[in-house]
Amino acid sequence: MAEKSNTKSFILRIDAETMGAIEAWAADEFRSTNGQLQWIINEALRKANRLPKKKKDKSE
């Protein structure tokens, strides 16, 4: 049986100029556009100290 994915899909509306800038940035970083958006969001959450706390493994 396949493992359950821990990702959630959603639609994002963004203006063409901003999307072009993100696509160019992604190409410069050798990432997909989706990967670049995930990185941007993760960095913003990290800098704002808003990332969810990681659960500790109970086996430790």
Side-chain angles (χ1 to χ4, degrees):
M1 180 183 257
E3 286 188 33
K4 215 175 198 185
S5 176
N6 200 18
T7 61
K8 185 173 181 176
S9 299
F10 70 99
I11 296 172
L12 174 65
R13 289 181 180 88
I14 190 165
D15 65 88
E17 191 174 310
T18 301
M19 190 62 180
I22 292 168
E23 289 169 337
W25 189 7
D28 290 346
E29 300 282 329
F30 302 105
R31 290 189 181 107
S32 66
T33 302
N34 185 68
Q36 189 69 20
L37 287 166
Q38 287 179 313
W39 181 83
I40 291 167
I41 292 166
N42 192 59
E43 281 296 297
L45 289 169
R46 185 185 63 76
K47 287 178 182 177
N49 205 22
R50 295 280 196 163
L51 282 174
K53 304 288 185 227
K54 296 194 180 205
K55 294 179 182 177
K56 290 187 177 182
D57 187 5
K58 291 183 179 185
S59 64
E60 290 181 6

